Amino acid sequence: MANVAVIGAQWGDEGKGKIVDWLAERADMVVRFQGGHNAGHTLVVGENVYKLSLLPSGIVRGTPSVIGNGVVLDPWALKAEIERLGDQGVHASPETLRIADNCPLILPIHRDLDGLREDASGAGKIGTTRRGIGPAYEDKVGRRAIRVCDLAHLDDLGPQLDRLCAHHDALRAGFGEPPVDRERLLADLREIAAFVLPFAKPVWRDLNEARTGGKRILFEGAQGVLLDIDHGTYPFVTSSNTIAGAAAGGSGLGPSGVGFVLGIAKAYTTRVGSGPFPTELEDETGQRLGERGHEFGTVTGRKRRCGWFDSVLVRQSAAVGGITGIALTKIDVLDGFGEVKICVGYTLGDQTLDYYPTHAADQARVVPVYETMEGWQESTAGARSWADLPAQAIKYIRRIEELIRCPVALVSTSPEREDTILVRDPFAD
């Protein structure tokens, strides 16, 4: 059986939640492999709306779900999310949820540092969610992290706390803050350990057994390729690799197990927070896109910036992200526009570019080159076959395929999971 990895092909918020939920019903296991609770997926199942930050989308369907070692885990946020979903009738148990025992933890001191840095950054603010994601990843690669497995050995944590506090105390002193309260931190960890440890497992073993047994594994990415720490619009990026290749290292399954890579892209473009955005529309059209698309962040509630579809960026995402096919979402938001535009290139001074430049100053200066197409007045909302789509909408989708050099595998026409046009089944052998 083929495995499937779902990643964002833009700056995140592309509608991955619906697609992952749609695929999770047919998967045997769903895996989050990077990011933290700065990500957010909204799932609409009948009359119920579920907002997830840390938990894999499969949890709503009762599909065995895994939080992999590539994730940074805030255990208190995990507890709150599990309890909130429990109030909605979704119960996560050690039978349905497994957490990699080598998963690094987000601690209160990481949240503190995130906020202190952002407040002090002035014009250099990145626009983080202040949830400690970046500092936690720093401690992971700095070999200072406290991991899930350490919760079972808190009496032996002294040397790790020495390393951790030596680093954080120096930083906190620079901001005029007192040293880390080690006793308070240990007390907090003891309190949460009993909740987290029943979920802790060597998930690499479970995933390899599932693969050997011919099970279907769905890898669920957070954010999008344009926020990748290496390939995104640096420094306005997240702190992890969001490309499909990260599914291997972030889960322990290995690169040959990733399978079909489904990139999610909106039929237009949005971005939350700071950073360059070539096709951004700061006019009535951009406002109309935002209002019709209900463009507010799942986690932060921040209003998303909106603009026309940028084929240059998505083509680049498809190349570096290893994308096999695209799921095009929110085509219905474009219903009723007299004309629609697609960015097909950039100008940078006297240069014409068919790629997005690497340097932040060049990224901020590029001017989009647009191709204009006739819009459509008919509704695409709820369409479930090509025959249900207006001819101009089909032309728009086909033109996007040509420009991004990647086939459209499915089209989403509303938040409802059944309102999907399937072109190619990602789970097909």
Side-chain angles (χ1 to χ4, degrees), residues 289-342:
L289 286 170
E291 290 173 353
R292 295 199 62 187
H294 306 290
E295 296 297 350
F296 296 91
T298 299
V299 170
T300 63
R302 290 184 292 181
K303 183 179 179 181
R304 296 175 185 140
R305 302 151 63 190
C306 298
W308 294 120
F309 187 87
D310 192 328
S311 69
V312 182
L313 288 178
V314 177
R315 180 169 66 239
Q316 205 156 315
S317 291
V320 302
I323 294 172
T324 314
I326 289 285
L328 195 68
T329 66
K330 291 197 168 185
I331 188 73
D332 54 302
V333 173
L334 298 180
D335 293 352
F337 280 84
E339 62 180 27
V340 290
K341 296 183 179 182
I342 302 174

Side-chain angles (χ1 to χ4, degrees), residues 192-226:
I192 200 67
F195 180 85
V196 175
L197 284 172
F199 298 101
K201 300 284 189 303
V203 300
W204 63 267
R205 182 188 61 184
D206 298 338
L207 290 170
N208 276 273
E209 286 178 358
R211 184 186 180 198
T212 302
K215 303 291 187 182
R216 287 174 166 173
I217 301 171
L218 178 62
F219 298 94
E220 176 183 359
Q223 290 95 27
V225 173
L226 299 176

Side-chain angles (χ1 to χ4, degrees), residues 225-237:
V225 173
L226 299 176
L227 292 175
D228 185 276
I229 187 66
D230 289 304
H231 300 287
T233 50
Y234 192 91
F236 301 99
V237 292

Side-chain angles (χ1 to χ4, degrees), residues 251-267:
S251 67
L253 188 61
S256 61
V258 175
F260 189 102
V261 180
L262 184 65
I264 317 298
K266 280 177 184 165

Side-chain angles (χ1 to χ4, degrees), residues 95-330:
E95 286 68 46
T96 58
L97 176 66
R98 305 167 199 180
I99 300 172
D101 55 6
N102 55 340
C103 187
L105 299 178
I106 297 176
L107 306 173
I109 57 175
H110 294 132
R111 296 194 298 269
D112 293 345
L113 182 57
D114 205 354
L116 289 167
R117 282 174 170 168
E118 192 74 353
D119 289 339
S121 292
K125 282 185 179 179
I126 292 173
T128 78
T129 57
R130 299 171 178 260
R131 299 192 172 202
I133 312 298
Y137 273 117
E138 291 176 39
D139 280 347
K140 174 184 176 178
V141 299
R143 293 162 292 183
R144 297 179 294 268
I146 295 173
R147 302 187 297 172
V148 168
C149 58
D150 294 318
L151 294 175
H153 301 274
L154 292 176
D155 290 337
D156 304 317
L157 206 58
Q160 283 165 270
L161 282 176
D162 289 343
R163 287 196 298 274
L164 184 71
C165 292
H167 178 76
H168 281 267
D169 285 349
L171 293 174
R172 291 170 70 92
F175 285 109
E177 295 292 315
V180 174
D181 185 338
R182 290 175 61 143
E183 293 307 313
R184 172 65 185 275
L185 177 58
L186 268 173
D188 289 343
L189 290 171
R190 289 187 197 283
E191 184 178 350
I192 200 67
F195 180 85
V196 175
L197 284 172
F199 298 101
K201 300 284 189 303
V203 300
W204 63 267
R205 182 188 61 184
D206 298 338
L207 290 170
N208 276 273
E209 286 178 358
R211 184 186 180 198
T212 302
K215 303 291 187 182
R216 287 174 166 173
I217 301 171
L218 178 62
F219 298 94
E220 176 183 359
Q223 290 95 27
V225 173
L226 299 176
L227 292 175
D228 185 276
I229 187 66
D230 289 304
H231 300 287
T233 50
Y234 192 91
F236 301 99
V237 292
T238 194
S239 300
S240 60
N241 286 112
T242 60
I243 57 174
S251 67
L253 188 61
S256 61
V258 175
F260 189 102
V261 180
L262 184 65
I264 317 298
K266 280 177 184 165
Y268 50 104
T269 311
T270 63
R271 178 165 199 170
V272 171
S274 306
F277 184 173
T279 66
E280 183 174 9
L281 298 169
E282 299 180 272
D283 57 13
E284 291 182 4
T285 301
Q287 184 175 347
R288 182 180 176 188
L289 286 170
E291 290 173 353
R292 295 199 62 187
H294 306 290
E295 296 297 350
F296 296 91
T298 299
V299 170
T300 63
R302 290 184 292 181
K303 183 179 179 181
R304 296 175 185 140
R305 302 151 63 190
C306 298
W308 294 120
F309 187 87
D310 192 328
S311 69
V312 182
L313 288 178
V314 177
R315 180 169 66 239
Q316 205 156 315
S317 291
V320 302
I323 294 172
T324 314
I326 289 285
L328 195 68
T329 66
K330 291 197 168 185

